[in-house]
């Protein structure tokens, strides 16, 4: 395999690494958004409980508050499930990025070895030509 072919492989590997990094960042952003949504649900739940507890007529609104709390609890459970799934995705994207980086490093090392080999071959050719020129 020539140095040019290896250089092309290296460029592809570097592009793949950049894409993997973008995918990891997108997964992290989605997870952060889900966690913000879960925090908002918890804030709504706390505000509702505080409002029901502070109201003089809380017994009149108890059924509505109960329905709302059940809905908030269901949403919180769903967000926890989504966040766990997204955390797994972030981990997987991080591992994929790391694999792509290692592959790019391996190809870069291969390219360096190939360049050294070509340089050594050129030096040998130069020495051979110099000896051939001095022979009668």
């Amino acid at each position: 395999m020539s140095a040019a072919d290896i250089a092309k492989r290296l460029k592809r590997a570097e592009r793949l690494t950049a894409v993997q990094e973008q995918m990891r960042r997108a997964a992290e952003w989605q997870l952060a958004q889900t966690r913000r949504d879960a925090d908002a649900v918890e804030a709504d739940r706390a505000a509702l409980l505080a409002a029901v507890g502070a109201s003089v007529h809380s017994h009149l609104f108890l059924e509505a508050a109960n329905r709302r709390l059940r809905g908030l609890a269901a949403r919180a459970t769903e967000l926890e499930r989504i966040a766990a799934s997204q955390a797994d995705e972030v981990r997987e994207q991080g591992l994929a990025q790391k694999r792509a980086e290692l592959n790019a490093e391996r190809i870069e090392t291969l390219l360096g070895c190939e360049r050294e080999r070509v340089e050594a071959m050129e030096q040998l050719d130069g020495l051979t030509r110099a000896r051939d020129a001095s022979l009668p």
Side-chain angles (χ1 to χ4, degrees):
M1 186 175 290
S2 72
D5 292 337
I6 296 172
K8 286 179 187 177
R9 282 181 59 196
L10 178 60
K11 286 186 185 226
R12 281 194 304 265
E14 288 171 344
R15 284 193 308 264
L16 177 61
T17 299
V19 168
Q20 291 294 342
E21 183 179 353
Q22 290 172 346
M23 291 174 67
R24 180 192 47 81
R25 275 193 252 139
E28 287 175 347
W29 182 87
Q30 289 174 341
L31 176 59
Q33 182 60 45
T34 300
R35 288 181 175 160
R36 284 191 296 271
D37 291 347
D39 290 344
V41 167
E42 288 303 317
D44 286 350
R45 188 187 309 189
L48 182 60
L49 288 172
V52 168
S55 176
V56 175
H57 304 291
S58 63
H59 63 282
L60 299 174
F61 303 109
L62 198 53
E63 184 58 35
N66 189 27
R67 280 194 308 272
R68 178 71 178 136
L69 283 172
R70 278 194 303 250
L72 289 172
R75 179 71 178 143
T77 300
E78 178 66 13
L79 288 171
E80 287 174 12
R81 186 193 62 75
I82 292 170
S85 172
Q86 288 174 338
D88 289 343
E89 180 66 20
V90 167
R91 185 179 53 78
E92 289 299 319
Q93 290 298 331
L95 291 173
Q97 179 185 353
K98 191 64 171 174
R99 283 190 301 270
E101 288 170 353
L102 291 173
N103 186 43
E105 288 174 11
R106 194 170 46 247
I107 293 171
E108 190 172 4
T109 301
L110 180 63
L111 179 60
C113 291
E114 180 63 19
R115 286 180 176 160
E116 287 175 7
R117 186 189 70 79
V118 168
E119 184 179 311
M121 294 298 288
E122 289 173 352
Q123 287 176 353
L124 285 174
D125 286 344
L127 289 174
T128 305
R129 274 188 244 123
R131 282 195 177 147
D132 289 343
S134 66
L135 290 176

